[in-house]
Each structure stands twice: as structure tokens, then as C-alpha cells.
Amino acid sequence: MITKMTKYSFILLSGQAEGFLNDISELGVIDITRSSKPADEESLEMIARMQAIRKDIANIKKGEDQQLKDMRASYNALVRKADGIRAWGNFDAEAIEDLNQKGIQLHFYKVSDKKFKAEWAEEYPIEVINRQDGKTYFVLVSKDDEAKDFPIAEIPAPSQPIEQVDAEIKKAEKQIEGYKAILENRKSTIPELEEDINEMKSSLERHLAQLSSEKAAEDTISVMVGFAPTEDDKAVCEALDKLDVFYIKEDAVEEDNPPIKLKNNWFTSMFSTLTGMYGMPVYGEFDPTPFLSIFFLLFFAMCMGDAGYGIMLVIIGLLLKGKKGGLANLYGLIIALGVGTFIVGIIMGAFFGVDLTAQSWVPEGLKSCMVTGEIAGYSAQMVCALGIGVVHICLALIVKAVNSLKRSGFKESISTIGWTLLIVGTVIVLAFAIFGAVSESTAKWIIIGIASVSALGIYIFNKPGRNPLINIGSGLWDTYNMASGLMGDVLSYIRLYALGLSGGMLGSTFNSIAEMVKGCGVPGLDWVGFILILILGHAINLAMSCLGAFVHPLRLNFVEFFKNSGYEGKGKDYKPLKY
């Protein structure tokens, strides 16, 4: 599956570019490209306006801007002020001022309960006002400088009664709620603001294109486009907002040619390396990896065709597990191919070159599951290989039709649908007829009906709006290409049978040579030679079989399947910037 991507457009001064790239490389999820364009005062002003609108949108979405932050800071300061005053209870500020005018001063103190000393009351005129939260609040009454020798530092007197501060807090709360309502109402203006940014971005691009390319290096703007998986949108936006950089976020479309990140299950993902060998799909195309995983595994196993070699591959894969580099990175794939080879090898009746169908120790029930004998005078295994090839090509045609409908619409896909209906429909009907599900007469009329409907799409409506004679000529040319191409494509699958047969014959030959050496009659040499020939012979055969089983199934998928499915494979791999 192709991961959905989000496109990020960045515009910043070139002097800021390197620092910005370092910052986003820490994020490690943005695949980015960059270019530089000349800039002037007008373009810088346009960027500043876009940045201001972008920041305004972000603030509206968060429901908080700088003004609201300032209002909250003032509110918190009032709350702290109230907490400091509340401990002193209700007091009359005018009465305190009247005492000051008469030369009587009140000095305010706050200490922890542990540090408060009762003997202070014996030396100074002290009145404890309150005790709370482990603190003692008290005042000292004095004239002139009588309190200067008091052992602890004085704190400022309450500036106003608590009732006044509480009233200011309630007023501040109402102001905050009112402003939050204003920001909430402004959310409806976000689409309009975003449209303004897009229009300004288009104007900026036109303006930059008109500027002289001979501007000084310091008068340039770095224009960057990055792509990141949509599933990472939240983390990316949070990081970019902290950088205070101007950016525009939008869903990536096929025209943007975003990089491709494949996301598959644990089994399918093992075959992503093979997809990359051919080329990544373009955005909007289908991911061939699920098809490649199933058929490459099947074709590889058929080319190997020996259950014993499957066991050896599993052992090799397990030995590579935990190591790094080279084939060790593909240990999971090797194990999977080994398991597939073992299963198919049993079905083909081969185990280290031994024909299992001829062995008395093999259960008859297991023998009944093996593909042996002939079908219509041909080897059953060869017919099986050709049948699998037909299914593989039919599946490719279905994928091509579905993908064409998705990307180009029905009108542009009529010819493709016509060919798919004709070939796949005919194959299905013939299969039913062969297995007796429908009679030959019924199958004939169904095929005639399918061919009639398909002919309209292939010869008449293959290009709506074009001259019918040209459409017919184009259809005839397609018919020639399809007839000659499909025949060759189907016959290509005989290699699955041929490679499996040759590997089995070579393995059997090594077994025969080993048996001959064992019967040479030379004590010691007979068994040593027997074992050495078996080990070396099958090791050579395993290596040669693996080479053929890798190359030819890859070709069948890359050429026969990809060609008939319309797969392009011209996408670029997702390579995020990271440290």
C-alpha cells in the first residue's frame, strides 16, 4: 500500500535555510527538495504578510494568540496578588494610612511556623494575624525606627483590600472569556485566510520568476517543498510551529510527484526490496508488492522444486538471523522462500533429488497430493506451470483495468475493460467448461456474448469522440499486439517447469554418482566419496538453482505481470532528511 503523503511548502531567506534544514533533520520524517530564487523588497514584504496570516491562522486554531496570553498573564498575576493579600484578612487601608500620619507604623512579616519565636512578643508589640499553610503572618506596631532591630526582614504591606482584588479577578475572567469567544467566532474565517495565503503564494511565485537572476546571493529566497506521511501530520506541524517558519500544508496529489513510502504487512514488506529493484510506483498508482510477494514466492519454489533444498534455505536464513549487512538483511525473505520451496517441493515429489512418488516409505495419502503423470498427453507439472501463468496474466489485466478506471475514468478505460472482459471472461468460462460446471454448448454462447460486448469497447468505443474508422484501425493493431504478445507471455511460464525439472534431474544425477562411488568396493573410500559427492553436488545444485530461481521469477513478474498490468514504476523512493 502506498502511504498517503502531505505536501509542505516552505519559503524563507537563504540565510535561514541551513539552520532550518538542521532543525527538520532532527524530526526525521520530511523528504525535502530545495531551490533558490532572487528576491527584492516587495517579495520580502509578501513573505512577511503570508507569515503573519499563517501565524494568525495557527492562533485561531489553537484558540489563543499573544493578546490572550497577555490577558492570562495579567490574570495569573492578580491571582498571586490575591493569595498574598488574603492571608491578612480584611483591613482598612485608610485606617493604616491614618496611623502612619500619626507616627504609628505597622510592619508586616511572614515566617514559617518553625522559625516564629514566641519570645518576640515579650520584646516587641507583635500581633499574629493568621496562620496558614505552615506560615505565620504577624504585624509589629512601632514608632519611628523602633522596628529596625527586628531580626527578620519586613515584607511590603498589602496594597489594597482583598475585595478589590477579587473584583479585578472577576473582571479579568470575563474579559478572557469574551476574547476566547471572539477567537472561536474567527474560526469560520480560516478558509478565507488560507485562500488568501494561496493567492499570495501564487503571486509571489510569479513575481520571483520575473526577477533578474543576477541578484546578489544575500538577496535570495530558499523555496523548499517537503513531503511527509499524513499519519505524522500532528507531530510535523507541532515541530514546525515551534520553529516559527512560514509553511503551507496541503494534501499531496499525483501532479506533485511525491516520494513513495510503501506500507505493508510483515510478510509483504519482506518483498519491498524486489519492488525497489524495478522502480517505485508513482503516487496514485497501485503497489505491486502484494502481488509480487505471492507470485515470486510461488515461482521461486517451483523453480527450486525440491523440498530438501527448502529445508537448507530455512537453515541458512536462521543462521543469518542476528547478523548485519549483505544477505543477512534478507534473512526473513530467505526463510520464507525456504518454507515455500519445502511445501512446493513436497507437492512436486522431490527431496534432495529423490523421487518421493517412487518411495514405499512415503504415505499414500501424501502421494495423492503430489502433481504427477500427464494431462492431455503433456506433463502435469508443465500444464500446472502454464495454468499458473494464465492466472498471473489475467490478474494483471484485472489490475490494469481497475487502476485505469481509478486514474483515468471510464471513458478513457473502455478499451482496457474490453480486453480484460474478453480474455479473463473467456478463461473463466473455459475453466468452468473443462471442469464440467457448464456444457460446451453453453460455454460457446457465453463466450460469443462476451466477445460481442468486448468488441464494442475494443474496436468502436476505444477512444470516444474519435473517428470510428480510426478506432477500428487502432483496435485491429491492438488485436495483433495482444494476440502475439499474450501467446509469448504464457509460454514464458514453461521456464517454471523447465528449471524445476533440470534442478531435479541434476540432483538425481549426483545421487546416482554417489551410489556408484559407494559401490566401488574400496573400504573407506566408498563411504567418504559417497558423502563428499552428495554434499558438494547438492551444494552446487542448490547454488545454481537459487540463481535461476531468483532471476527467472523476477523476470516473469517484471516483464509479464508489470507489462500486462500497466505498472510504470517511475516513482521516487521516500528518503526523509535526518541526521
Side-chain angles (χ1 to χ4, degrees):
M1 182 178 69
I2 299 175
T3 301
K4 186 178 180 182
M5 289 285 176
T6 299
K7 177 183 177 182
Y8 296 88
S9 300
F10 307 97
I11 302 176
L12 60 160
L13 293 176
S14 292
Q16 302 171 321
E18 293 306 318
F20 169 70
L21 291 175
N22 288 334
D23 289 332
I24 64 170
S25 64
E26 295 180 2
L27 192 58
V29 296
I30 302 180
D31 185 315
I32 201 158
T33 57
R34 59 186 294 185
S35 61
S36 295
K37 297 184 179 180
D40 61 357
E41 185 175 345
E42 182 178 349
S43 60
L44 297 178
E45 290 178 356
M46 294 171 70
I47 292 173
R49 291 201 301 272
M50 287 191 291
Q51 287 177 326
I53 297 176
R54 183 72 182 81
K55 186 175 293 186
D56 195 19
I57 292 174
N59 289 333
I60 294 173
K61 288 181 177 180
K62 290 190 297 184
E64 183 170 332
D65 60 4
Q66 188 58 49
Q67 183 173 344
L68 184 59
K69 290 179 181 178
D70 293 340
M71 294 171 69
R72 290 188 189 277
S74 299
Y75 171 81
N76 292 333
L78 285 172
V79 171
R80 289 193 297 272
K81 181 179 180 180
D83 291 340
I85 294 175
R86 203 179 308 278
W88 297 102
N90 294 321
F91 64 91
D92 190 342
E94 293 182 358
I96 293 176
E97 180 62 27
D98 185 54
L99 289 174
N100 288 336
Q101 291 179 358
K102 294 179 179 180
I104 300 174
Q105 299 176 352
L106 296 181
H107 304 274
F108 293 77
Y109 299 92
K110 178 180 70 173
V111 296
S112 65
D113 292 341
K114 293 181 179 180
K115 292 184 178 181
F116 181 79
K117 297 179 180 180
E119 55 266 25
W120 287 344
E122 298 175 2
E123 300 179 30
Y124 302 94
I126 288 176
E127 180 68 28
V128 175
I129 305 298
N130 191 13
R131 282 191 172 93
Q132 69 177 38
D133 300 329
K135 305 284 185 182
T136 299
Y137 297 80
F138 62 96
V139 295
L140 186 154
V141 182
S142 68
K143 289 185 178 181
D144 301 326
D145 295 331
E146 292 179 1
K148 65 180 181 180
D149 296 329
F150 197 71
I152 63 173
E154 183 180 355
I155 64 173
S159 58
Q160 60 188 123
I162 188 63
E163 292 85 353
Q164 292 182 10
V165 181
D166 285 339
E168 292 179 10
I169 289 175
K170 290 182 179 179
K171 181 179 179 181
E173 288 176 344
K174 291 181 179 179
Q175 290 176 340
I176 289 173
E177 292 302 319
Y179 194 74
K180 286 172 64 177
I182 293 174
L183 289 178
E184 184 66 27
N185 292 333
R186 290 191 64 197
K187 286 185 177 180
S188 61
T189 66
I190 289 178
E192 182 179 347
L193 293 174
E194 290 178 338
E195 183 63 28
D196 289 343
I197 288 180
N198 290 330
E199 291 179 1
M200 294 171 66
K201 179 174 177 287
S202 298
S203 299
L204 177 63
E205 290 175 348
R206 290 193 298 269
H207 180 73
L208 293 175
Q210 295 172 358
L211 289 179
S212 169
S213 60
E214 298 179 357
K215 284 279 185 180
E218 62 269 17
D219 292 331
T220 59
I221 291 176
S222 288
V223 180
M224 302 186 185
V225 176
F227 295 92
T230 301
E231 61 192 27
D232 295 325
D233 274 358
K234 182 178 180 181
V236 172
C237 290
E238 288 178 355
L240 294 177
D241 290 340
K242 291 179 182 178
L243 296 178
D244 193 26
V245 63
F246 172 74
Y247 69 94
I248 298 175
K249 185 186 81 170
E250 54 192 327
D251 291 338
V253 295
E254 188 172 342
E255 290 73 19
D256 296 325
N257 191 27
I260 303 301
K261 180 183 180 183
L262 301 181
K263 183 178 181 181
N264 294 295
N265 58 41
W266 67 270
F267 172 75
T268 308
S269 60
M270 292 189 296
F271 297 83
S272 298
T273 301
L274 303 181
T275 302
M277 291 174 63
Y278 184 88
M280 288 291 184
V282 296
Y283 201 68
E285 198 176 12
F286 71 96
D287 178 10
T289 310
F291 306 104
L292 184 61
S293 63
I294 296 172
F295 285 99
F296 181 83
L297 175 58
L298 176 61
F299 295 165
F300 182 94
M302 292 179 68
C303 289
M304 294 293 289
D306 192 293
Y309 293 165
I311 294 175
M312 294 306 299
L313 287 175
V314 172
I315 294 173
I316 292 171
L318 292 174
L319 291 175
L320 291 173
K321 185 178 180 181
K323 296 180 173 57
K324 295 182 179 180
L327 288 177
N329 296 331
L330 301 175
Y331 79 90
L333 177 60
I334 294 173
I335 293 174
L337 294 175
V339 172
T341 299
F342 175 78
I343 295 173
V344 172
I346 294 295
I347 295 174
M348 295 300 179
F351 187 85
F352 285 115
V354 175
D355 184 2
L356 295 179
T357 61
Q359 307 303 314
S360 59
W361 51 269
V362 177
E364 291 299 324
L366 183 59
K367 288 182 180 180
S368 65
C369 299
M370 297 178 184
V371 179
T372 58
E374 295 183 348
I375 297 177
Y378 297 97
S379 170
Q381 293 183 2
M382 184 184 75
V383 174
C384 181
L386 292 175
I388 291 173
V390 170
V391 172
H392 197 216
I393 291 174
C394 286
L395 180 60
L397 293 172
I398 294 173
V399 170
K400 182 178 182 180
V402 172
N403 195 47
S404 179
L405 278 170
K406 178 183 174 182
R407 300 179 68 190
S408 305
F410 179 76
K411 289 180 64 176
E412 298 297 325
S413 307
I414 294 177
S415 177
T416 301
I417 295 173
W419 280 112
T420 302
L421 177 63
L422 176 63
I423 297 170
V424 178
T426 300
V427 168
I428 293 174
V429 174
L430 288 175
F432 280 128
I434 291 172
F435 290 101
V438 297
S439 65
E440 292 185 9
S441 176
T442 302
K444 180 182 71 174
W445 285 109
I446 293 176
I447 291 174
I448 290 174
I450 291 174
S452 300
V453 174
S454 300
L456 294 175
I458 295 170
Y459 299 106
I460 306 300
F461 302 111
N462 54 54
K463 193 72 173 179
R466 191 168 62 177
N467 188 314
L469 294 177
I470 297 178
N471 281 351
I472 293 174
S474 176
L476 291 172
W477 177 249
D478 286 344
T479 301
Y480 168 75
N481 290 329
M482 290 293 287
S484 58
L486 286 177
M487 181 62 69
D489 291 344
V490 172
L491 292 176
S492 293
Y493 289 85
I494 291 180
R495 71 188 67 219
L496 298 176
Y497 164 70
L499 287 170
L501 179 63
S502 63
M505 292 177 65
L506 189 57
S508 178
T509 300
F510 283 122
N511 291 341
S512 298
I513 295 173
E515 286 288 343
M516 291 171 60
V517 172
K518 188 177 70 171
C520 68
V522 179
L525 179 61
D526 50 0
W527 281 102
V528 172
F530 174 76
I531 295 173
L532 285 176
I533 290 174
L534 284 182
I535 294 175
L536 293 176
H538 284 293
I540 293 172
N541 195 27
L542 174 62
M544 294 176 60
S545 296
C546 284
L547 180 61
F550 178 81
V551 173
H552 291 282
L554 211 58
R555 181 199 180 280
L556 290 174
N557 281 281
F558 284 0
V559 177
E560 273 68 32
F561 185 83
F562 284 1
K563 178 186 68 176
N564 288 295
S565 66
Y567 180 67
E568 298 177 19
K570 297 180 180 179
K572 56 182 180 179
D573 196 9
Y574 168 67
K575 296 179 179 179
L577 185 65
K578 59 176 66 176
Y579 280 126

